[in-house]
Amino acid sequence: MIIISTIHEMQAYVQVARKSGASIGLVPTMGYLHTGHGALMERAKNDNQRVIVSIFVNPLQFGPNEDLDRYPRDLPGDERFCSERGVDVVFAPTVTEMYGADGALTRIHVATLGEHLCGAASPGHFDGVATVVAKLFHIIQPERAYFGQKDFQQLSIVRRMVGDLSIPVDIVAVDTVREADGLAKSSRNAYLTPEQRKLAPRLREALLRLQAAWSRGERDVPAMLAEERAQLEAVPEFRVDYLTCVDSDRLQPVNTPAPGQSVVFALAVFLGKTRLIDNLIVQ
Ligand code: PAF
């Protein structure tokens, strides 16, 4: 496995790989890798001749009061993780390498899709995500790029950006990987205290109850959400940022679903300072 930290070297590698006819799968990450990322790598390995994992904690997607400095980092551990999974290249540039000494002035803004859910709490977050992902696509020119379904809003925005800008890359969605008790794998789980960790599976349980209610034919979405919100808020350690139901295309809130409409129940909840997200798509 090769470790590359400059854009120039990364582009040179890609040129050689392309000349040899090898297909490239990209797994973009911010590091502190876990088995959720491992599932993306495994899928990329199946589909492509070369797998490149980018590890870059992207400052553009953190707000001024968010956890950029606190974000967990472990590059040597991540490199081992990638090497054990047969990754060909880890691309781990510094912030100056990615954005220059005076920072980048360009941003990519995908309208509408980024305004609700996680975008409401962190304006500019998805501009930062879209900008770095577009930049990685330009540098690496992968045939395919792999994203987790847990961040379904990010996935929708990246898909839309790729379509709108005709970027020739297939976006592959991979199912959320979970702990045995149902908690979605996330680098942020590392922040949870043992007490918070015990409570965290209740987020998934709330989504499963919504799914069950939906399967029983309940369609009074505001009442369903209010009931689950009250249950979550009864736990003093939880602060619900959002618990909502949106349509799966434009991510707009749904109160009265149309017959046959596919929707996503999604939540973001703070446990102390740690914000966890999860979602469940119902057809
Ligand atoms: O999902 C993430 O880890 C990040 O948002 C991504 C896609 C790597 C962009 O920085």
Side-chain angles (χ1 to χ4, degrees):
M1 189 180 82
I2 314 174
I3 317 284
I4 293 181
S5 57
T6 69
I7 293 172
H8 180 75
E9 252 186 285
M10 190 66 256
Q11 286 170 324
Y13 175 93
V14 166
Q15 228 177 14
V16 173
R18 291 215 154 276
K19 268 204 189 125
S20 74
S23 59
I24 296 177
L26 169 66
V27 180
T29 81
M30 296 207 299
Y32 213 68
L33 304 173
H34 50 71
T35 48
H37 297 109
L40 304 181
M41 294 173 199
E42 204 177 298
R43 183 74 190 275
K45 191 95 191 125
N46 271 336
D47 297 349
N48 303 279
Q49 274 119 20
R50 299 276 192 284
V51 175
I52 300 178
V53 173
S54 62
I55 298 181
F56 179 63
V57 181
N58 172 33
L60 296 190
Q61 66 191 78
F62 288 80
N65 301 317
E66 288 169 9
D67 52 0
L68 174 62
D69 293 334
R70 244 181 109 222
Y71 198 83
R73 292 163 169 88
D74 176 15
L75 191 54
D78 287 345
E79 288 171 4
R80 266 196 313 279
F81 185 97
C82 291
S83 154
E84 284 163 13
R85 280 155 186 84
V87 167
D88 298 284
V89 179
V90 166
F91 178 48
T94 62
V95 173
T96 311
E97 177 66 17
M98 276 298 263
Y99 296 129
D102 56 351
L105 297 179
T106 304
R107 295 288 181 279
I108 295 194
H109 175 70
V110 180
T112 309
L113 300 188
E115 284 152 19
H116 298 288
L117 308 164
C118 294
S122 318
H125 167 74
F126 287 113
D127 293 358
V129 171
T131 304
V132 78
V133 169
K135 180 148 177 143
L136 289 167
F137 287 173
H138 283 300
I139 297 168
I140 295 168
Q141 297 173 29
E143 263 79 14
R144 300 176 195 86
Y146 296 79
F147 292 85
Q149 187 69 54
K150 177 173 78 76
D151 297 298
F152 84 100
Q153 188 173 19
Q154 167 171 285
L155 179 62
S156 305
I157 287 170
V158 169
R159 278 209 166 112
R160 186 72 198 208
M161 171 186 80
V162 159
D164 287 353
L165 300 181
S166 304
I167 303 177
V169 53
D170 275 353
I171 304 301
V172 182
V174 177
D175 284 348
T176 303
V177 177
R178 297 181 180 279
E179 304 286 357
D181 59 11
L183 176 66
K185 296 254 186 190
S186 164
S187 306
R188 289 193 163 93
N189 293 351
Y191 300 147
L192 299 174
T193 64
E195 273 317 297
Q196 292 169 342
R197 176 62 191 80
K198 270 190 220 150
L199 291 168
R202 296 197 191 187
L203 308 187
R204 164 83 167 159
E205 287 161 17
L207 293 171
L208 288 172
R209 281 193 298 272
L210 286 165
Q211 183 187 43
W214 184 274
S215 306
R216 286 194 302 272
E218 287 184 36
R219 290 295 183 271
D220 184 351
V221 172
M224 290 158 68
L225 293 174
E227 192 181 323
E228 286 308 327
R229 192 178 182 109
Q231 288 220 32
L232 289 173
E233 284 176 343
V235 181
E237 287 79 359
F238 287 161
R239 185 161 61 80
V240 178
D241 180 6
Y242 64 75
L243 171 61
T244 189
C245 175
V246 295
D247 73 85
S248 52
D249 294 331
R250 295 179 74 88
L251 313 186
Q252 299 304 299
V254 172
N255 286 328
T256 317
Q261 182 174 11
S262 141
V263 298
V264 184
F265 287 107
L267 56 71
V269 174
F270 283 95
L271 280 88
K273 285 189 172 162
T274 307
R275 185 171 175 277
L276 299 182
I277 59 171
D278 204 347
N279 66 79
L280 217 158
I281 301 171
V282 291
Q283 306 290 341

